[in-house]
Amino acid sequence: MTLNKTVTATDPTGGRPVVPSRGERRPLGLGEIALGPGFWSTLQATNAAATLEHCESWMERLGWLANFDRVAEGRTEAERPGWSFSDSEVYKLIEAMSWEFARSGDPGMDDGIRRLTARIGRAQDADGYLNTYYGHPNRPARYTDLEMGHELYCVGHLLQAAVARLRTSGPDELVEIARRAADHVCAEFGPGGREGICGHPEIELGLVELGRALGEDRYVDQARLFLDRRGHGLLRDIPLGRAYFQDDVPIRDAHAWRGHAVRALYLSAAAADVAAEGDDDELLAAIEGQWDWSVARRTYITGGMGSRHQDEGFGEDWELPADRAYCETCAGIASIMVSWRLYLATGDMKYADLIERTSFNVLATSPRSDGKAFFYANPLHQRVAGDVASDDQVSMRAESSARAAWFDVSCCPTNVARTLASWHTYAADVGERDVTLLQYASARVRAELGDGRVAGLEVETAYPDDGLVTVRVTEPPEGSMALRLRVPAWADGAVLEEGGRQRDVAPGVAVVDREFVAGEEVRLRLPVTPRFTWPDHRIDAIRGCVAVERGPLVYCAEAIDLPDGVGLDHVVVDTSVRPADRHGQVVVQGFVVSGADGSARWPYLSDADVNRPPTGAPIEVRLGPCHQWAERKPTAMRIWLPTLCP
Amino acid sequence: MTLNKTVTATDPTGGRPVVPSRGERRPLGLGEIALGPGFWSTLQATNAAATLEHCESWMERLGWLANFDRVAEGRTEAERPGWSFSDSEVYKLIEAMSWEFARSGDPGMDDGIRRLTARIGRAQDADGYLNTYYGHPNRPARYTDLEMGHELYCVGHLLQAAVARLRTSGPDELVEIARRAADHVCAEFGPGGREGICGHPEIELGLVELGRALGEDRYVDQARLFLDRRGHGLLRDIPLGRAYFQDDVPIRDAHAWRGHAVRALYLSAAAADVAAEGDDDELLAAIEGQWDWSVARRTYITGGMGSRHQDEGFGEDWELPADRAYCETCAGIASIMVSWRLYLATGDMKYADLIERTSFNVLATSPRSDGKAFFYANPLHQRVAGDVASDDQVSMRAESSARAAWFDVSCCPTNVARTLASWHTYAADVGERDVTLLQYASARVRAELGDGRVAGLEVETAYPDDGLVTVRVTEPPEGSMALRLRVPAWADGAVLEEGGRQRDVAPGVAVVDREFVAGEEVRLRLPVTPRFTWPDHRIDAIRGCVAVERGPLVYCAEAIDLPDGVGLDHVVVDTSVRPADRHGQVVVQGFVVSGADGSARWPYLSDADVNRPPTGAPIEVRLGPCHQWAERKPTAMRIWLPTLCP
């Protein structure tokens, strides 16, 4: 795993998605960290080898790429393939390819980016406007449906793609296209311009990052202006209500995330960005407050967010149904984006903890192991196996237990692709005189500390299967430094070994602050024994249930592992017996409750009829990591299992 | 309460909504039963005094009535107020007014029906087509959106209104309008005609009943043809799937209700009707099987049906969230319609049990006590009080705890109106030589038995507040008859007193089969002591909870009855203490669990952190009947209350 030479190790802004101007922490660039063999590099390799081509091929097949050609050639029609946001999938693909090019150096990736850039560029209007749904002959006019048109949303993703290109390969045509598009947005929607906002936040994220990357304050100012305009009922009311697109309450006054989950989270991520650029502590505190509240009351054990199918949105506090959990993959990714920005601003490990949980249990769950099918929604309880669509079909969000090759609304696959390609930028960071390991994976790190000194590390681990993380200091800086290792909140009983000493370390961060000798090792042992996890009593949907976790992984039971005739509805776990580790699988003990509980006719029972406590024949239930569910065949599944009263 | 003389007691088809040609039971007509003061007559009086005028006034105000004028006067525009089914609300209003006219004899009601009939009639095309959304200048053409256009649905309600008019006042212009419309439907969609069905079942119900009422077999045949065409993918696929409108599986092969709840239930009601007309035991058995399965696994304790907001539809087995329960008022009414038809076909009391449960806990819950606002959805757990819309506003289904005066989609108020106006036709029925009391309310009954003899009864009761039902035989027939009284499934410990004797009677039906003397009384004592009710262990959403019932009423806790600072999420019920009756209110004992359960930051707890069993300060919780919830002020509410492990 060589570090990519295109981005020099000393370029402080090289190859990273988010570079705040202010904050406690500095993120590493793709030139400063590379993963070795393991959980995440496997996902990255599959992403590179299969997913990127898969995405491009589907977009070409469905005509989403040709949409750009049609604009360029003046051939736009009243009929057009794809939703109003299909352009953004192309941009997200280019972003993913850019990160991947920096990660692997594959010249084919670079060629692909240039090809796609050329097609996109030809479709840009002279004034910088770029959109294949609106604003051309036989198409609706520009900006006639800000509520649901996704026009600015698409530009936001274009800008993020350009940032990725700029920070990995340097300025090129894509960056110029983005600059013209950003200038157009500022001219159209700036002070004195159109008093509008986009129904789907994203432009704000793109403007801030492009502004940072190009040193253009007015892009950041425009993002701030969009944020300030929002929350006052500027958008028209819709049946789902203005909370759907967070236009009911200004971002500074919102105490929790509500409405459409991806919109809410992209908006809060943008607000964190704007707060960092403007040194706006009040705004930062508002977003931190939203995170605290929503993580405590509106988030699933997987880290998934989104309790309702109807609006793909957050529910009320404690409204966390396992079966109708929406937990859109894009919302999991958006959650990671918010947490990352809050981590960079504050250095608080709770944010890295949630990034870990969401990465292993939502992000890693979405793609099939061959990288060619995905989950859009990530329920915690699949009641019926459902149909298997062929890999040749476009799915309407796939409510069965089969991942789908592509979707009518296909935001998740490209979001997975760009996040996996750049995932290792979440794995470590630096401070003034420290290197901090945030996520555990085999890796090589060579980074510039805040004080200018360079430090190099090698990390070896079989995490998450094994809790041992070995850190070898390959290039110690002159003098002392702090080597900091996140100890996850779940890791009760972690042990640190360094310099011949061993000590217990509590959840938070374990620090070794001294001079290091080249080649010396520090070892962190995280306890990955399977454990029971219990729900807060206020979460109605899973009262009386228990879950099993192992390290960062949430486990689940699949119906295909049960004996014939025994359904997931019939199993009750006996928590007086600890879950047992069996070669990466976990086994729990329980028993099978009969199908009928009193009268079969009516499920609401009198004192006389109710069978308590439930009893039945003993059974051993095999559990596997939820990110692997439905990999073998379509199946019912449960994360939360009914149990006896504790 | 005089019996209306317009419909003679000896007219066996007078004034009743459903008159199957075959079946075990004969329903009573409005001329054969009248309610006395009590729960249901109060609702009927408010319906008559306030709701009917309220509905008409809103329809006039919003322009739904003027839509007919615009068609009649050739003034139809591209813009038109109301959804494509707004015509049906007018028809349902006329149906309600027709039942009400027969119930009360109010001549103003008759005048109103004639006025509305005249406006409707002028809009009918020469070939019998009648619809103000489609088929006229500047409007979309006829039958271009059978999936979602509701064209035949509207005709179905027209036919049901005409049946009501015919059976209460005799043939008049409305009946002629309906006949022409039905003839048009048969010509257009009959054998050799357009191979289509309506996305929303209802035309089938109207055709069968009009066919019965006019003796027109070809209307019944057309209904059967529509049923047979359905279930083979004739309608185009939609994102919600063909199960939404039950076009995925033929009605005979469906084992459970699925998809949009009102559609599923109207369809099954129509199938029961078609089965009765055709002596089709196989089809009847299929509907009975759907009832059994869905009532056992997809129905709420209130009788409500519909687990999902997204498609207003049924969920999977055991998917019964209390908070996101949809339980559309119209679905409750449709459930009553299905149960009634199955009861008439079989005489099985389980159907009358469900009619009682749904009547008291869904139908009676929807209207506000003044009859001028309604619930559309009927959740079993209202997490937040929500906003109060003014009575002057049109609501988008009102997800707050306030009933709404009118809705953008306003099918529920008129459905409530027509059902309340004719509700007493569910209260009793006759067989060859029996009179059977199915629903308990003060009433006078004078009916013709199957063998031609007349029997007269007076019923006195303060049900549901009191469990004593006194039946006085005012006009005994010559010879013996069977007086049959339904003993509800919940009524453990019911006692029957007659002829100086007393005996225990089990749930099902209590029979007194002998000669009767004029004036003698039979008394049924139903035990209405409050009782705890427990959920089947397979219902995830309410595991670990308990409900309270009293007689047919389901009870609930409202947050406004709790002390300041104590929320519904904080209360745990102690079921070792029986619920206590306090003047119609019920009180349970419990305690208040603290707000934080272990760490407040993350609600998924380790063994060390979880607080089990919960403890806290004792509290007494007042419960009221759920049909009265949110009558005082907006409030959070729960039917299912967390409890200690039993």
Side-chain angles (χ1 to χ4, degrees):
Chain A
M1 39 162 174
T2 54
L3 297 176
N4 192 311
K5 294 184 180 56
T6 306
V7 179
T8 65
T10 54
D11 176 353
T13 61
R16 74 205 75 193
V18 183
V19 185
S21 301
R22 288 178 194 74
E24 291 298 315
R25 312 296 306 164
R26 174 178 90 68
L28 299 191
L30 293 173
E32 297 182 288
I33 178 167
L35 298 186
F39 187 98
W40 291 103
S41 71
T42 299
L43 282 167
Q44 290 186 326
T46 304
N47 190 47
T51 302
L52 298 178
E53 188 278 332
H54 175 92
C55 290
E56 181 170 351
S57 154
W58 268 102
M59 291 184 217
E60 190 72 81
R61 169 175 166 174
L62 294 176
W64 301 0
L65 287 165
N67 283 337
F68 289 92
D69 305 333
R70 280 183 270 275
V71 168
E73 293 156 27
R75 293 188 289 112
T76 48
E77 306 281 345
E79 292 283 321
R80 171 192 172 284
W83 289 85
S84 62
F85 39 84
S86 64
D87 290 358
S88 70
E89 308 312 345
V90 180
Y91 304 147
K92 286 154 73 183
L93 173 64
I94 294 174
E95 180 184 345
M97 292 167 77
S98 300
W99 300 130
E100 181 52 33
F101 176 55
R103 190 189 76 87
S104 66
D106 172 10
M109 208 59 60
D110 185 62
D111 289 343
I113 293 165
R114 293 180 192 283
R115 268 188 299 101
L116 292 170
T117 298
R119 281 173 93 172
I120 287 166
R122 284 197 300 263
Q124 187 166 36
D125 292 357
D127 65 351
Y129 180 86
L130 178 49
N131 188 289
T132 74
Y133 192 93
Y134 291 91
H136 297 101
N138 302 307
R139 304 300 312 159
R142 293 180 182 183
Y143 305 129
T144 46
D145 187 11
L146 288 176
E147 284 79 8
M148 304 303 291
H150 289 76
E151 268 166 296
L152 296 175
Y153 169 88
C154 286
V155 176
H157 278 300
L158 169 66
L159 305 191
Q160 288 189 313
V163 164
R165 187 62 170 162
L166 175 64
R167 289 184 176 154
T168 52
S169 303
D172 77 349
E173 182 54 25
L174 183 63
V175 178
E176 289 314 302
I177 293 167
R179 197 195 281 271
R180 287 192 288 268
D183 287 345
H184 162 76
V185 170
C186 292
E188 185 74 30
F189 289 91
R194 193 188 290 259
E195 189 83 5
I197 57 175
C198 187
H200 197 313
E202 164 60 23
I203 182 63
E204 305 85 352
L205 284 162
L207 282 168
V208 171
E209 210 60 50
L210 190 66
R212 286 167 170 164
L214 295 176
E216 288 278 16
D217 285 347
R218 60 199 178 86
Y219 294 167
V220 179
D221 291 343
Q222 183 64 45
R224 185 178 298 108
L225 181 57
F226 279 136
L227 284 182
D228 290 342
R229 277 186 189 144
R230 199 182 206 91
H232 308 281
L234 196 59
L235 298 170
R236 73 170 182 268
D237 199 5
I238 57 172
L240 290 170
R242 286 198 174 95
Y244 176 77
F245 34 47
Q246 298 79 36
D247 194 33
D248 55 334
V249 173
I251 187 71
R252 285 170 198 279
D253 301 335
H255 79 285
W257 292 325
R258 75 232 173 279
H260 186 271
V262 178
R263 285 170 168 79
L265 293 163
Y266 278 8
L267 182 67
S268 285
D273 274 334
V274 165
E277 295 315 297
D279 210 12
D280 189 335
D281 289 339
E282 185 203 65
L283 180 56
L284 177 65
I287 306 309
E288 288 193 274
Q290 291 162 19
W291 190 102
D292 284 341
W293 187 282
S294 306
V295 168
R297 295 159 180 256
R298 301 183 179 197
T299 299
Y300 286 87
I301 191 177
T302 51
M305 295 181 183
S307 299
R308 298 180 176 180
H309 281 238
Q310 187 186 31
D311 60 347
E312 303 183 295
F314 284 97
E316 299 289 345
D317 292 349
W318 313 118
E319 181 189 331
L320 292 161
D323 51 2
R324 295 296 284 171
Y326 202 68
C327 295
E328 188 181 337
T329 300
C330 285
I333 287 166
S335 163
I336 290 171
M337 288 164 55
V338 178
S339 286
W340 184 237
R341 285 153 178 74
L342 294 179
Y343 172 76
L344 294 177
T346 65
D348 193 325
M349 285 304 176
K350 68 187 181 186
Y351 299 118
D353 276 348
L354 188 62
I355 287 173
E356 174 182 73
R357 179 176 293 279
T358 312
S359 292
F360 277 106
N361 299 298
V362 179
L363 172 64
T365 302
S366 178
R368 198 167 62 194
S369 55
D370 68 358
K372 296 181 184 178
F374 309 85
F375 277 133
Y376 188 111
N378 295 277
L380 285 77
H381 179 182
Q382 179 76 27
R383 290 186 179 276
V384 296
D387 301 322
V388 185
S390 95
D391 271 4
D392 210 49
Q393 283 174 281
V394 174
S395 169
M396 306 277 190
R397 292 180 208 157
E399 289 201 13
S400 78
S401 62
R403 292 167 176 83
W406 201 249
F407 299 88
D408 193 45
V409 173
S410 213
C411 45
C412 297
T414 50
N415 229 351
V416 168
R418 66 177 183 148
T419 306
L420 286 178
S422 58
W423 187 86
H424 45 308
T425 60
Y426 295 128
D429 70 324
V430 292
E432 184 67 11
R433 52 181 297 282
D434 72 271
V435 180
T436 301
L437 299 187
L438 300 169
Q439 305 298 333
Y440 294 114
S442 292
R444 256 174 64 185
V445 176
R446 188 170 185 277
E448 188 173 301
L449 308 183
D451 61 19
R453 295 177 297 155
V454 170
L457 309 173
E458 261 176 26
V459 182
E460 265 184 56
T461 179
Y463 195 77
D465 294 339
D466 194 275
L468 171 62
V469 180
T470 303
V471 184
R472 186 173 309 112
V473 184
T474 49
E475 199 174 327
E478 284 268 337
S480 70
M481 80 167 170
L483 173 62
R484 300 166 77 243
L485 309 177
R486 177 180 64 98
V487 180
W490 52 261
D492 228 2
V495 173
L496 187 74
E497 298 173 10
E498 52 87 16
R501 294 172 291 266
Q502 182 175 291
R503 54 181 157 109
D504 294 337
V505 284
V509 60
V511 185
V512 183
D513 192 342
R514 56 174 171 76
E515 290 191 25
F516 290 85
V517 172
E520 75 164 296
E521 292 184 354
V522 171
R523 281 186 207 83
L524 177 66
R525 295 180 189 278
L526 297 171
V528 293
T529 318
R531 58 192 191 271
F532 284 128
T533 299
W534 305 89
D536 185 299
H537 76 92
R538 286 168 290 185
I539 307 176
D540 295 284
I542 49 178
R543 190 174 290 114
C545 289
V546 71
V548 173
E549 299 184 86
R550 189 177 171 286
L553 301 176
V554 174
Y555 274 62
C556 68
E558 292 184 273
I560 52 179
D561 290 322
L562 295 174
D564 281 345
V566 178
L568 282 174
D569 292 329
H570 299 155
V571 173
V572 176
V573 174
D574 179 358
T575 57
S576 70
V577 181
R578 309 222 52 71
D581 201 344
R582 257 189 230 164
H583 316 298
Q585 296 241 293
V586 171
V587 166
V588 294
Q589 304 304 318
F591 50 87
V592 180
V593 181
S594 71
D597 190 5
S599 158
R601 165 180 297 186
W602 181 241
Y604 307 108
L605 312 163
S606 69
D607 283 333
D609 290 337
V610 72
N611 178 16
R612 12 166 208 180
T615 56
I619 190 174
E620 193 173 83
V621 182
R622 203 168 73 174
L623 309 176
C626 78
H627 69 79
Q628 278 179 4
W629 90 277
E631 281 280 348
R632 290 171 288 163
K633 36 200 272 211
T635 174
M637 176 277 283
R638 296 189 68 124
I639 285 175
W640 290 98
L641 304 167
T643 183
L644 299 172
C645 297
Chain B
M1 39 163 174
T2 54
L3 296 176
N4 191 312
K5 295 185 179 53
T6 307
V7 179
T8 63
T10 55
D11 175 355
T13 61
R16 75 206 73 194
V18 184
V19 185
S21 301
R22 289 179 193 75
E24 291 298 315
R25 311 297 305 164
R26 176 177 89 69
L28 299 192
L30 293 173
E32 297 180 290
I33 179 168
L35 298 186
F39 187 97
W40 290 103
S41 71
T42 300
L43 282 167
Q44 289 186 325
T46 305
N47 190 48
T51 303
L52 298 178
E53 188 278 331
H54 175 91
C55 290
E56 182 171 351
S57 155
W58 268 100
M59 291 184 218
E60 189 72 81
R61 168 174 167 176
L62 294 176
W64 300 1
L65 287 164
N67 282 335
F68 289 93
D69 305 332
R70 279 184 271 273
V71 169
E73 294 155 26
R75 294 187 288 112
T76 48
E77 306 281 346
E79 292 282 320
R80 172 194 172 282
W83 289 85
S84 61
F85 39 84
S86 64
D87 291 357
S88 69
E89 308 311 344
V90 180
Y91 304 148
K92 286 153 74 183
L93 173 64
I94 295 173
E95 180 185 345
M97 292 167 77
S98 300
W99 300 130
E100 181 52 31
F101 176 55
R103 190 188 76 87
S104 65
D106 171 7
M109 208 59 61
D110 186 62
D111 290 341
I113 293 165
R114 293 181 192 284
R115 269 188 299 100
L116 292 171
T117 297
R119 282 172 93 174
I120 286 166
R122 284 197 300 264
Q124 187 166 37
D125 291 358
D127 65 351
Y129 181 86
L130 177 50
N131 189 289
T132 75
Y133 192 93
Y134 291 91
H136 297 101
N138 303 307
R139 304 299 313 159
R142 293 181 183 182
Y143 305 130
T144 45
D145 186 11
L146 288 176
E147 284 79 8
M148 304 302 290
H150 290 76
E151 269 167 295
L152 295 176
Y153 169 88
C154 288
V155 176
H157 278 301
L158 169 68
L159 304 192
Q160 288 188 313
V163 164
R165 186 61 169 164
L166 175 64
R167 288 182 176 158
T168 52
S169 303
D172 77 349
E173 183 54 25
L174 183 63
V175 179
E176 289 315 300
I177 292 167
R179 197 196 281 271
R180 287 192 289 269
D183 288 345
H184 161 76
V185 169
C186 293
E188 185 76 28
F189 290 92
R194 193 188 290 260
E195 189 84 4
I197 56 176
C198 186
H200 197 313
E202 164 62 20
I203 182 64
E204 305 85 351
L205 284 162
L207 282 169
V208 171
E209 210 60 49
L210 189 67
R212 286 167 170 164
L214 296 176
E216 288 279 17
D217 284 347
R218 64 201 172 84
Y219 295 167
V220 178
D221 292 342
Q222 183 63 45
R224 186 178 298 109
L225 181 56
F226 280 136
L227 284 181
D228 290 343
R229 277 185 188 143
R230 199 183 206 90
H232 307 281
L234 196 60
L235 298 170
R236 72 171 182 269
D237 199 4
I238 57 173
L240 290 169
R242 286 198 174 93
Y244 176 77
F245 35 46
Q246 300 79 36
D247 194 32
D248 54 335
V249 173
I251 187 71
R252 286 171 197 280
D253 301 335
H255 80 285
W257 292 325
R258 74 231 173 281
H260 185 271
V262 178
R263 284 169 168 80
L265 293 163
Y266 278 8
L267 181 67
S268 285
D273 275 334
V274 165
E277 296 314 299
D279 210 12
D280 188 336
D281 289 338
E282 184 203 65
L283 180 57
L284 177 65
I287 307 309
E288 288 193 274
Q290 291 162 19
W291 190 102
D292 284 341
W293 187 283
S294 306
V295 168
R297 295 158 181 254
R298 301 182 179 198
T299 300
Y300 286 87
I301 191 176
T302 50
M305 295 181 183
S307 299
R308 298 179 177 180
H309 281 237
Q310 187 186 30
D311 61 346
E312 303 184 295
F314 284 97
E316 298 290 345
D317 292 349
W318 313 119
E319 180 189 330
L320 291 160
D323 52 0
R324 296 295 285 171
Y326 202 67
C327 296
E328 189 182 336
T329 300
C330 285
I333 288 167
S335 163
I336 291 171
M337 289 164 55
V338 177
S339 287
W340 184 237
R341 286 153 176 74
L342 294 180
Y343 172 76
L344 293 177
T346 65
D348 193 324
M349 284 304 176
K350 68 188 181 187
Y351 299 117
D353 276 347
L354 188 62
I355 288 172
E356 174 182 73
R357 178 176 294 279
T358 313
S359 293
F360 277 106
N361 300 298
V362 179
L363 173 62
T365 302
S366 178
R368 199 168 61 193
S369 54
D370 68 358
K372 297 181 183 177
F374 308 85
F375 278 134
Y376 188 111
N378 295 278
L380 285 77
H381 179 182
Q382 178 77 26
R383 290 186 179 276
V384 295
D387 300 323
V388 186
S390 96
D391 272 3
D392 211 48
Q393 284 175 282
V394 174
S395 168
M396 307 278 192
R397 294 180 205 157
E399 287 200 15
S400 79
S401 62
R403 292 167 177 82
W406 202 249
F407 299 88
D408 192 45
V409 173
S410 213
C411 45
C412 297
T414 50
N415 229 350
V416 168
R418 68 177 182 146
T419 306
L420 286 177
S422 58
W423 187 85
H424 46 308
T425 61
Y426 294 130
D429 70 323
V430 292
E432 184 67 12
R433 52 179 299 280
D434 72 271
V435 180
T436 300
L437 299 187
L438 300 169
Q439 304 298 332
Y440 294 114
S442 293
R444 255 174 65 185
V445 177
R446 188 170 185 276
E448 188 172 301
L449 309 184
D451 61 19
R453 296 176 297 154
V454 169
L457 309 173
E458 262 177 26
V459 182
E460 264 185 56
T461 181
Y463 194 76
D465 293 339
D466 193 275
L468 171 62
V469 180
T470 302
V471 183
R472 186 171 311 112
V473 183
T474 49
E475 200 174 327
E478 283 267 335
S480 71
M481 79 167 171
L483 173 62
R484 300 166 77 243
L485 310 177
R486 177 179 63 96
V487 180
W490 52 261
D492 229 1
V495 173
L496 187 74
E497 297 172 9
E498 52 86 17
R501 293 173 293 266
Q502 183 175 290
R503 54 181 158 111
D504 295 335
V505 283
V509 60
V511 185
V512 183
D513 192 342
R514 55 174 172 76
E515 291 192 26
F516 290 85
V517 171
E520 72 164 296
E521 293 184 355
V522 171
R523 282 186 207 84
L524 178 65
R525 295 181 189 277
L526 297 171
V528 294
T529 320
R531 59 192 191 271
F532 284 127
T533 300
W534 306 87
D536 185 300
H537 76 92
R538 287 167 289 185
I539 308 175
D540 295 285
I542 50 178
R543 192 173 288 115
C545 290
V546 71
V548 173
E549 299 185 86
R550 189 177 172 285
L553 302 175
V554 173
Y555 274 64
C556 68
E558 292 184 273
I560 53 180
D561 290 323
L562 295 174
D564 281 346
V566 178
L568 282 174
D569 293 329
H570 298 156
V571 173
V572 177
V573 174
D574 178 359
T575 58
S576 70
V577 181
R578 308 221 54 71
D581 201 345
R582 257 186 230 167
H583 316 298
Q585 296 241 294
V586 170
V587 166
V588 293
Q589 304 303 319
F591 50 87
V592 181
V593 181
S594 71
D597 191 2
S599 159
R601 164 181 297 185
W602 179 243
Y604 307 107
L605 312 163
S606 69
D607 283 334
D609 289 338
V610 71
N611 179 17
R612 16 168 203 180
T615 56
I619 190 174
E620 193 172 83
V621 183
R622 204 169 73 174
L623 309 175
C626 80
H627 68 80
Q628 278 179 5
W629 90 277
E631 281 282 348
R632 294 170 287 163
K633 40 201 267 210
T635 174
M637 175 278 282
R638 294 189 70 125
I639 286 175
W640 289 99
L641 304 168
T643 182
L644 299 172
C645 296

